[in-house]
Amino acid sequence: MDRRELLANFATELNRGTLTLCVLSQLTKAQYGYSLLQILLEKHIELEANTLYPMLRRLETQGVLESSWNTSENRPRKFYQLTEEGKSIYLSLANQWREQQSHIEALLGEESHA
């Protein structure tokens, strides 16, 4: 395995959990899949549709998201939004992320690694 492939694998592992947090952060109001992809992309979070849609279905099955169909336009769209439980989970995860980020920043800032 060459260096680029190894680095890509590590980056995938690093992103796996954080992408879920990113998605949850944008579902405090209802979004459909494509709009969610665009919002994340505008914020420099790259996420493939073939990653997002299974994630949305999984989160809905877990009770974190709820969905509804909007058929008022020509093209029906499935909108996703956090449930009350999902809001609570999102806030807890965001707090855990901030705490972990602080600890990681301290580790990365140690002079012995410079």
Side-chain angles (χ1 to χ4, degrees), residues 20-55:
T20 300
L21 182 59
C22 292
V23 167
L24 294 178
S25 76
Q26 300 305 300
L27 291 173
T28 55
K29 65 177 194 171
Q31 299 288 341
Y32 61 96
Y34 183 76
S35 70
L36 184 54
L37 286 171
Q38 294 305 304
I39 289 167
L40 291 170
L41 188 58
E42 288 171 8
K43 297 178 182 195
H44 308 286
I45 304 295
E46 292 187 31
L47 181 61
E48 299 290 327
N50 61 359
T51 300
L52 175 64
Y53 290 105
M55 180 191 300

Side-chain angles (χ1 to χ4, degrees), residues 47-107:
L47 181 61
E48 299 290 327
N50 61 359
T51 300
L52 175 64
Y53 290 105
M55 180 191 300
L56 292 172
R57 287 190 295 273
R58 176 179 51 82
L59 291 168
E60 185 175 19
T61 299
Q62 293 171 327
V64 177
L65 301 180
E66 57 192 358
S67 67
S68 60
W69 284 95
N70 179 342
T71 57
S72 64
E73 297 181 22
N74 291 341
R75 186 175 188 182
R77 291 188 170 127
K78 190 173 188 178
F79 281 77
Y80 295 89
Q81 188 168 2
L82 292 173
T83 61
E84 287 303 315
E85 178 68 11
K87 290 175 187 175
S88 176
I89 287 170
Y90 164 64
L91 292 174
S92 294
L93 286 175
N95 286 333
Q96 286 179 12
W97 166 258
R98 288 181 188 100
E99 185 176 327
Q100 187 172 12
Q101 182 183 15
S102 171
H103 297 306
I104 292 170
E105 285 293 332
L107 286 172

